[in-house]
Amino acid sequence: MQKPIVTALLAYGMSGKLFHAPFVHAHPGFDFKGVLEHNTKKVNADYPAIKSYDKLEEILNDPEIELVIVNTPSNTHVDYSKKALLAGKDILVEKPFAPTVKEAQEIFDLGRKLGRKVMVYQNRRFSSDFAVTRDTINSGILGDIIEVHLRYDRYRAQIGPKVFKETPLPAAGIVYDLAAHLLDQTICIFGQPSSFRKVTGVYRKNSLVDDYGHIHLSYPKQVNVFITTSLLVADPQPGIIIHGTKGSFVKAFCDRQEDQLIAGMKPGDIGFGEEEAGKEGRLTLMTDQGVKTVDLVPSIKGKYMDLFEAVVQTIRNGADFPIKEIEVLTQIEILESK
C-alpha cells in the first residue's frame, strides 16, 4: 500500500471547507495534516486532529508536508505557488491559476526545474452536467457541432464582500472568476481555438471590476462556442445549449455537489453527486425524413473526488494530470486578452 500524501491547505474559507478538506480527509491517498489560518481558527471545529498553522513559513518548513493546496485569493497564487515549489512541495492550485500566461509559464517551468508536480484545480470538469454534455457531444449523436452556448448567470447587483474579487487586483473580475470554468470545459472538449474574441463590461453601480463577459471561440469545421457570464441576470438561462446538424441538446447547470457539501453531506454519502429528478437534459433529434424526437437524458454522477484521485496518481505513480499545461496556458491567454 502506498504512503498517503501528507497535505496542507493554505486557507479554510469556503474553498477549503467545501471543495478541498472533505475530499483530502476522505481519500485514503492523503494524510490531511493541516491548514494555514492567519487569524480566525475554524478548522478544528470540523477536523479536531488537524493542525492549524499560523504562518505560511511553518507549512513550507514542515518536512513532512508533500503537497500544498494553494486555495488563497487569486492575486496570491503566483507568489505562494513559487514559494511552495522552492520549498520542495508539489502544488495543487485553484483557478484562476495565474493572471498572465507569462506568470503561469514561470510556475510550470519552475516545477519542471525542481522536479515538482504543478497541478491546477478545475472541479467543474468533474460535475454531473458537464459529464453528460461532454459524452453527448463526443457520441456524435448531434452530428457535426455548429454552435455551443455555455452560460454562468447570477444576479448580484450589490458589490460583494470579497476584496480580491471586487478590487482591480490581478485576476479579479467575473471573467477570471466564472468564465474560467466554462473556458476549461470548452478547451477540454474542443482543444485550442483557432481564434477568439472577448467582450467585457461593468454594469453594477460602483463596480471596479468587470461583471459581464462574453467570449466567442472559433474552431475548425465552423464550430462556434459562445461563453457568457454575468452578475445581472434576473432570469438565468439554461447553462448549456448545443446545436448540431442532427439535433440539439439543452441542459441546466445543476450539479449538486456544492449544495450537498454546504448541507453537510460527505463525498462518500449515498446520493452524493447525483442530480435530482426533473433536471435531465433535453435531446432533440431530427431524422433524414424530418421526423423529430425528444428525449430526456439523465446526467452522469458528478465526482469531484476523481480530481483528487488524479492528484494521487500523478504524485505517486507519475500519471499525467488531466488538466494539461497547454490547456491552462490557452485558458489564461484568453482570460488576460484585451
Side-chain angles (χ1 to χ4, degrees):
M1 186 174 180
Q2 293 178 322
K3 177 179 176 291
I5 301 165
V6 182
T7 302
L9 309 184
L10 293 192
Y12 198 67
M14 178 181 178
S15 169
K17 184 179 179 67
L18 296 184
F19 297 130
H20 296 289
F23 299 92
V24 172
H25 184 259
H27 195 298
F30 297 94
D31 177 357
F32 184 20
K33 182 171 184 180
V35 173
L36 176 61
E37 296 183 289
H38 291 292
N39 299 308
T40 307
K41 303 291 186 175
K42 298 179 180 179
V43 70
N44 291 135
D46 298 324
Y47 305 98
I50 299 303
K51 183 174 181 178
S52 176
Y53 294 86
D54 297 316
K55 297 179 181 179
L56 174 63
E57 289 72 25
E58 294 176 0
I59 288 179
L60 300 184
N61 293 331
D62 187 331
E64 289 188 345
I65 293 174
E66 301 172 73
L67 173 67
V68 169
I69 297 179
V70 183
N71 61 319
T72 49
S74 51
N75 61 301
T76 67
H77 288 181
V78 174
D79 181 39
Y80 289 179
S81 294
K82 289 180 177 180
K83 286 179 177 177
L85 290 171
L86 289 168
K89 315 300 185 185
D90 296 320
I91 57 173
L92 175 65
V93 186
E94 272 275 8
K95 65 82 198 164
F97 179 60
T100 67
V101 171
K102 179 178 181 295
E103 291 168 305
Q105 190 67 71
E106 288 174 354
I107 297 171
F108 281 116
D109 290 345
L110 182 61
R112 268 189 293 274
K113 178 181 176 181
L114 298 173
R116 307 312 322 169
K117 303 295 185 183
V118 176
M119 299 162 286
V120 180
Y121 178 84
Q122 285 283 5
N123 63 324
R124 293 292 303 178
R125 279 204 192 186
F126 302 88
S127 62
S128 57
D129 38 39
F130 174 67
V132 69
T133 300
R134 178 198 60 217
D135 289 356
T136 300
I137 291 173
N138 291 339
S139 72
I141 195 170
L142 298 175
D144 295 331
I145 303 300
I146 300 170
E147 187 178 23
V148 177
H149 291 265
L150 300 177
R151 298 189 62 97
Y152 217 134
D153 291 332
R154 291 176 174 174
Y155 189 84
R156 294 183 180 174
Q158 304 303 315
I159 306 302
K162 294 184 178 179
V163 175
F164 71 94
K165 289 188 177 184
E166 296 284 13
T167 305
L169 297 167
I174 195 173
V175 174
Y176 273 96
D177 186 28
L178 297 183
H181 288 298
L182 307 182
L183 277 170
D184 179 70
Q185 293 177 338
T186 300
I187 293 166
C188 177
I189 295 175
F190 296 106
Q192 292 179 270
S194 52
S195 64
F196 63 87
R197 178 174 178 267
K198 185 179 81 172
V199 176
T200 61
V202 181
Y203 295 97
R204 295 172 303 161
K205 184 178 180 181
N206 299 322
S207 180
L208 300 175
V209 298
D210 57 87
D211 46 36
Y212 171 85
H214 178 78
I215 304 169
H216 175 198
L217 306 167
S218 297
Y219 284 91
K221 298 183 179 179
Q222 296 182 306
V223 177
N224 293 282
V225 179
F226 301 94
I227 290 173
T228 306
T229 185
S230 174
L231 290 178
L232 289 174
V233 178
D235 183 16
Q237 304 300 296
I240 303 161
I241 299 175
I242 306 165
H243 301 301
T245 55
K246 294 183 179 180
S248 299
F249 181 73
V250 178
K251 178 83 172 75
F253 280 129
C254 49
D255 183 89
R256 297 181 68 199
Q257 292 174 91
E258 179 176 341
D259 289 340
Q260 289 174 327
L261 290 164
I262 291 172
M265 285 187 71
K266 304 299 181 185
D269 289 350
I270 295 174
F272 185 81
E274 296 178 2
E275 287 186 9
E276 298 173 290
K279 301 293 186 179
E280 297 85 357
R282 188 172 73 251
L283 177 66
T284 303
L285 299 177
M286 299 294 295
T287 69
D288 293 339
Q289 293 74 37
V291 178
K292 178 190 289 188
T293 62
V294 179
D295 292 300
L296 297 180
V297 181
S299 286
I300 300 163
K301 185 177 182 178
K303 295 181 180 179
Y304 290 168
M305 185 63 88
D306 284 355
L307 187 151
F308 291 90
E309 172 64 21
V311 171
V312 173
Q313 293 303 319
T314 298
I315 292 176
R316 286 290 182 254
N317 299 320
D320 291 334
F321 194 64
I323 295 92
K324 299 176 175 59
E325 178 178 338
I326 185 60
E327 296 172 335
V328 176
L329 296 176
T330 299
Q331 178 193 129
I332 296 174
E333 177 187 2
I334 297 167
L335 291 175
E336 73 164 314
S337 65
K338 302 300 183 183

